[in-house]
Amino acid sequence: MLQERSPLLTAIIICALMTVLAVAYALLANEGAPPPKEPALPPVPAGTPGTPAATGAPVQLTSRTFSINVTPAFATARPGDTVRFTLTVHPEGGFDAPVRVRVSATALGGAYRENHDLGTISAPYPPLTYEAAAPGLPPFVSTATVDAVVTATGGGTVRTERVQLVIRR
């Protein structure tokens, strides 16, 4: 008498056998193959312009980037007072791309928000000054802190600096 099996069980057995055969074939096929080689680069003669001399000393590459500094980073003022902030860009490694400066400020849990585009400065990067008027305070509030983020973007680099302004009646 012939025993019947379900089509699902037959399919599973066939898939398992095919998987085992594929793995065995892949292992056997790669066993005799040599390991892949890295492509050889042609030698560069020492003293070729634009290449370091073959001295064996490590070559240090400097990246073209910049840092920023905002002063003062913390200030206290009364409502309506004007506070002068100065941003200085410090180029590194020959950086000379234009730098765009923006300021975003919030206070009172987000009830006060301001965004300013301070423009773009170019090398040799003169100090950028920004005068901010301390906003008024709502009734029954004697002190508030304005948290600002200064963002400088240039040459694919983004730098931020945090600034705080405390307003007291």
Side-chain angles (χ1 to χ4, degrees), residues 111-122:
Y112 169 82
R113 291 184 185 274
E114 268 195 50
N115 293 305
H116 295 284
D117 187 345
L118 301 183
T120 301
I121 55 176
S122 298

Side-chain angles (χ1 to χ4, degrees), residues 38-94:
E38 290 189 27
L41 297 175
V44 177
T48 302
T51 62
T55 62
V59 176
Q60 289 192 342
L61 299 176
T62 58
S63 62
R64 294 182 178 191
T65 188
F66 67 95
S67 61
I68 61 171
N69 184 33
V70 178
T71 55
F74 177 84
T76 302
R78 297 174 55 84
D81 285 354
T82 300
V83 181
R84 180 184 303 237
F85 294 95
T86 302
L87 172 117
T88 308
V89 173
H90 303 283
E92 300 167 10

